[in-house]
């Protein structure tokens, strides 16, 4: 019996040892992954977003200019991830062309002319033997083309055409960029296809030069759709793919072109071979974008780190020297630089618990302001002079108003659109208006509505947030929240204060640039 007990104990000890050994191996494997490493480091160092054993630091990286990874497999994976995530939601997206030259185009009414087709379109190519399915199928009113003599596409176009021959491509093995730019600088196009390659040019050199050619054209090009052929070869992809990666970021952040989708010749995965991408972009304001470009491989750790870096970074040396604080309460901060807190109105949407003590803090916090607090739960708080409490929360975008039963019929609270809430406030508030949000983790649900109308937001001097950004969200949610902050800034607001309290809580305050709204 004693031998049986000792054997059972021995087996249990072995199982326990194996359990710990497997756990250690799994943790080590997870921590080898860059995305998870970023998450672990964020958790351990709330105020130091750097990656150990890496030359990259989130504190120094330019979020709109992603750095090169200098590894073929990593660059190929990152670029595939970038082109697989559309940045604009088109209602009538169609693929036009054959399997060798098809592109995604948006057939929404806003992109079509009065006749229901695409207007004047542009083709720039150095190819003579490229497939012509797109030009044959695409219904446009007129084509303007820059191409070598003998190009097969000439036989495919069956509408009016304006021809500009590129003799330099065959004779000198180069694109006459100055002539091309002069020829298109005064025109507007519905669709533009750029194919800066040619069979007669050096295969490796033209891969590197193609990005620069696109950049030159983009600076003066006026087009609603932009179609770009992108080529990569294993021998030079470590150089070319980061250049294209940066270009696509510039298209989004600088030129307002959002990715519609991309096609490939199925040679762009691992291992990368003779790769051809066909990327499609639409010219839309940032307010209509569905998401920014992915960061890196688009992992949750990377996307969260990008968001946190943006929330905590104050650009152009702006830094509020004095903020209105509230004795340790969680009220969002208002910057007092160049402000006098008198004859003002404050609209405060608060989802964190609200009590009589918090209301008293608001009274001392905004003593000379009329304050309206929207708190979406029934609450019994004694009346306080100049402070109104509304049992109302913000509806998610495009949902109808909704009444929610309370503890008694008189205690019902409701969800309203942000437009309703803000309209009621604006009509009665003094001229100096401040907007405060403590959504306590519900930012993902309601920020879409908050940033939708720039004209309404412009009526406020400052917008202050208490952000909660938790671990465990989908990467798309982090990207979406990052986009909403960008949209607020493109409405004319800029960060004047940022304070990271802990690993998931941030105070961020925005002030408006008077009379300035970016398109």
């Amino acid at each position: 019996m004693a031998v049986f007990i000792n054997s059972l104990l021995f087996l249990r000890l072995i199982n326990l040892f194996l359990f710990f050994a497997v756990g250690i191996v799994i943790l080590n494997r997870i921590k080898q992954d860059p995305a998870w490493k970023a998450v672990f480091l964020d958790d351990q160092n709330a105020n130091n977003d750097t990656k150990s054993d890496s030359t990259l630091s989130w504190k120094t990286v330019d979020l709109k200019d992603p750095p090169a990874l200098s590894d073929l497999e990593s660059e190929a994976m990152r670029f595939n991830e970038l082109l697989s995530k559309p940045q604009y939601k088109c209602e009538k997206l169609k693929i036009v062309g054959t399997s060798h030259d098809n592109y995604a185009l948006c057939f929404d009414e806003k992109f079509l002319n009065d006749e229901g087709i695409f207007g004047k379109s542009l083709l720039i190519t150095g190819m003579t033997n490229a497939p012509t399915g797109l030009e044959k199928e695409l219904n446009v009113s007129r084509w303007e083309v820059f191409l070598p003599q003998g190009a097969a596409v000439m036989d495919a176009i069956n509408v009016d055409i304006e021809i500009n021959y590129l003799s330099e491509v065959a004779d000198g093995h180069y694109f006459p960029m100055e002539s091309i730019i002069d020829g298109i600088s005064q025109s507007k196009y519905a669709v533009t296809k750029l194919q800066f390659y040619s069979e007669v040019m050096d295969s490796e050199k033209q891969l590197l030069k193609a990005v620069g050619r696109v950049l030159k054209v983009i600076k003066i090009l006026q087009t609603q759709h932009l179609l770009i052929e992108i080529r990569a070869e294993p021998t030079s992809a470590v150089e070319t793919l980061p250049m294209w990666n940066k270009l696509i970021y510039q298209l989004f952040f600088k030129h307002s072109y959002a990715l519609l989708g991309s096609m490939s010749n199925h040679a762009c995965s691992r291992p990368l071979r003779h790769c051809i991408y066909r990327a499609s972009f639409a010219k839309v304001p940032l307010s209509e974008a569905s998401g920014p470009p992915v960061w890196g491989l688009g992992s949750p750790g990377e996307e969260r780190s990008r968001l946190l870096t943006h929330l905590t970074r104050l650009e152009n040396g702006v830094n509020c020297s004095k903020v209105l604080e509230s004795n340790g309460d969680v009220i969002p901060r208002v910057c007092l630089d160049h402000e006098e807190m008198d004859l003002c109105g404050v609209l405060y949407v608060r989802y964190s618990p609200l009590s009589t003590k918090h209301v008293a803090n608001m009274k001392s916090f905004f003593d000379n302001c009329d304050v309206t607090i929207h708190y979406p739960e029934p609450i019994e708080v004694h009346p306080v002079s100049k402070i109104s409490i509304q049992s109302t929360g913000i509806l998610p975008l495009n949902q109808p108003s909704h009444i929610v039963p309370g503890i008694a019929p008189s205690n019902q609270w409701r969800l309203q659109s942000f437009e309703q809430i803000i309209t009621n406030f604006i009509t009665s508030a003094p001229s100096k208006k401040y907007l405060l949000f403590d959504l306590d983790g519900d930012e993902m649900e309601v920020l879409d509505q908050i940033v939708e109308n720039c004209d309404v937001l412009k009526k406020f001097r400052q917008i202050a947030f208490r952000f909660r950004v938790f671990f465990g969200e989908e990467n798309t949610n982090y990207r979406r929240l990052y986009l909403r902050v960008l949209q607020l800034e493109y409405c004319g607001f800029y960060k004047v204060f940022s304070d990271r309290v802990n690993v998931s809580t941030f105070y961020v305050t925005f002030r408006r640039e008077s009379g300035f709204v970016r398109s």
Side-chain angles (χ1 to χ4, degrees):
M1 184 68 180
V3 174
F4 173 76
I5 294 175
N6 289 338
S7 299
L8 183 60
L9 178 62
F10 180 70
L11 288 173
R12 287 178 175 174
L13 288 173
I14 291 177
N15 288 335
L16 189 61
F17 172 78
L18 290 174
F19 174 79
F20 281 112
V22 171
I24 291 172
V25 170
I26 292 174
L27 284 175
N28 285 335
R29 291 293 299 272
I30 289 176
K31 289 188 176 183
Q32 295 297 323
D33 182 274
W36 282 102
K37 188 184 292 185
V39 172
F40 281 119
L41 288 169
D42 267 336
D43 197 15
Q44 297 165 5
N45 306 295
N47 296 308
N48 185 15
D49 285 341
T50 58
K51 296 182 181 181
S52 61
D53 302 322
S54 173
T55 58
L56 294 181
S57 166
W58 281 104
K59 287 187 176 182
T60 59
V61 72
D62 185 346
L63 299 181
K64 297 179 181 179
D65 186 14
L69 301 178
S70 302
D71 175 77
L72 176 59
E73 184 172 311
S74 299
E75 294 290 5
M77 290 174 63
R78 176 171 70 164
F79 201 62
N80 269 300
E81 185 76 9
L82 175 62
L83 291 184
S84 68
K85 299 293 188 296
Q87 299 154 10
Y88 177 73
K89 185 177 180 180
C90 172
E91 298 298 327
K92 298 178 181 177
L93 187 70
K94 298 180 181 179
I95 307 300
V96 180
T98 65
S99 59
H100 298 291
D101 69 334
N102 51 2
Y103 286 84
L105 286 107
C106 186
F107 284 75
D108 291 354
E109 186 176 339
K110 62 184 289 185
F111 295 108
L112 305 177
N113 62 18
D114 294 337
E115 299 174 354
I117 63 174
F118 292 107
K120 179 182 177 181
S121 296
L122 172 68
L123 168 65
I124 303 176
T125 181
M127 306 293 295
T128 58
N129 60 357
T132 61
L134 174 77
E135 291 79 9
K136 185 179 297 184
E137 291 185 17
L138 190 60
N139 197 2
V140 305
S141 62
R142 179 181 176 83
W143 277 104
E144 181 177 352
V145 298
F146 291 77
L147 41 65
Q149 288 184 321
V153 71
M154 292 292 295
D155 296 328
I157 296 176
N158 54 13
V159 296
D160 289 343
I161 182 171
E162 179 182 338
I163 306 172
N164 300 273
Y165 285 116
L166 301 178
S167 58
E168 294 86 350
V169 171
D171 297 339
H173 294 188
Y174 72 94
F175 283 88
M177 297 307 301
E178 293 78 8
S179 299
I180 293 173
I181 289 171
D182 287 342
I184 66 175
S185 61
Q186 303 300 319
S187 298
K188 294 182 179 180
Y189 304 99
V191 179
T192 295
K193 178 182 175 182
L194 302 180
Q195 194 177 36
F196 281 115
Y197 304 99
S198 174
E199 312 95 323
V200 301
M201 292 183 181
D202 180 273
S203 58
E204 290 295 329
K205 288 183 179 179
Q206 66 176 331
L207 296 181
L208 295 170
K209 291 181 178 180
V211 180
R213 292 165 180 156
V214 173
L215 275 172
K216 289 181 179 179
V217 169
I218 288 300
K219 292 178 181 178
I220 54 91
L221 182 64
Q222 300 180 72
T223 187
Q224 292 178 302
H225 279 84
L226 177 62
L227 314 181
I228 305 177
E229 183 172 304
I230 300 171
R231 298 191 176 199
E233 295 286 341
T235 52
S236 58
V238 172
E239 296 177 81
T240 57
L241 290 183
M243 295 167 64
W244 284 112
N245 204 58
K246 292 185 178 186
L247 173 62
I248 292 174
Y249 268 65
Q250 288 186 43
L251 288 176
F252 183 85
F253 288 109
K254 188 174 181 180
H255 302 287
S256 299
Y257 286 103
L259 180 70
L260 284 174
S262 67
M263 315 299 291
S264 77
N265 64 345
H266 306 293
C268 301
S269 58
R270 292 181 290 177
L272 187 98
R273 299 184 299 279
H274 304 297
C275 168
I276 300 177
Y277 292 100
R278 297 179 293 277
S280 304
F281 303 84
K283 180 87 168 182
V284 294
L286 187 71
S287 59
E288 296 181 14
S290 59
V294 299
W295 181 266
L297 296 179
S299 69
E302 289 171 323
E303 296 292 350
R304 183 177 186 273
S305 293
R306 171 169 66 169
L307 170 62
L308 302 194
T309 298
H310 186 73
L311 289 179
T312 55
R313 177 175 293 170
L314 299 178
E315 299 177 356
N316 302 321
V318 175
N319 189 9
C320 182
S321 62
K322 186 178 180 182
V323 294
L324 194 59
E325 299 194 58
S326 58
N327 300 321
D329 204 349
V330 295
I331 299 170
R333 312 306 191 214
V334 172
C335 179
L336 294 179
D337 293 359
H338 315 296
E339 295 283 353
E340 294 182 7
M341 302 302 294
D342 61 343
L343 301 176
C344 52
V346 177
L347 177 59
Y348 181 21
V349 181
R350 177 177 175 126
Y351 286 4
S352 291
L354 183 66
S355 66
T356 301
K357 177 183 176 182
H358 295 132
V359 175
N361 280 341
M362 286 294 294
K363 174 64 178 174
S364 61
F365 198 48
F366 295 107
D367 188 39
N368 296 316
C369 299
D370 294 329
V371 179
T372 300
I373 302 175
H374 282 263
Y375 179 69
E377 292 185 30
I379 186 173
E380 294 184 6
V381 176
H382 297 295
V384 177
S385 174
K386 302 184 76 172
I387 293 185
S388 169
I389 301 176
Q390 306 291 328
S391 296
T392 309
I394 301 177
L395 271 172
L397 192 63
N398 297 326
Q399 292 192 21
S401 295
H402 183 61
I403 303 296
V404 180
I407 58 177
S410 60
N411 256 344
Q412 288 183 336
W413 57 277
R414 63 192 182 280
L415 297 177
Q416 285 185 325
S417 69
F418 182 61
E419 182 180 359
Q420 290 175 293
I421 291 173
I422 210 166
T423 298
N424 295 336
F425 171 79
I426 287 174
T427 55
S428 59
S431 58
K432 295 180 184 178
K433 299 177 180 65
Y434 300 87
L435 185 55
L436 279 61
F437 292 100
D438 177 6
L439 302 174
D440 203 34
D442 281 346
E443 288 87 353
M444 304 288 183
E445 297 297 326
V446 299
L447 265 178
D448 296 20
Q449 244 200 107
I450 292 170
V451 302
E452 189 182 37
N453 194 326
C454 281
D455 290 334
V456 172
L457 295 179
K458 283 168 58 180
K459 298 181 184 297
F460 291 88
R461 298 167 70 92
Q462 293 185 34
I463 302 179
F465 290 88
R466 176 178 177 260
F467 278 113
R468 301 299 305 278
V469 184
F470 299 109
F471 290 112
E473 291 283 353
E474 294 287 339
N475 50 11
T476 54
N477 286 337
Y478 291 130
R479 275 203 303 276
R480 194 176 78 183
L481 184 52
Y482 173 55
L483 176 67
R484 300 310 173 218
V485 176
L486 290 176
Q487 289 171 337
L488 180 62
E489 294 171 2
Y490 274 71
C491 282
F493 290 86
Y494 60 98
K495 295 189 291 291
V496 293
F497 175 78
S498 179
D499 181 26
R500 183 172 186 173
V501 180
N502 55 44
V503 72
S504 63
T505 306
F506 305 79
Y507 289 101
V508 185
T509 304
F510 298 84
R511 183 154 52 201
R512 185 171 69 88
E513 295 184 17
S514 179
F516 174 67
V517 177
R518 282 176 271 195
S519 60

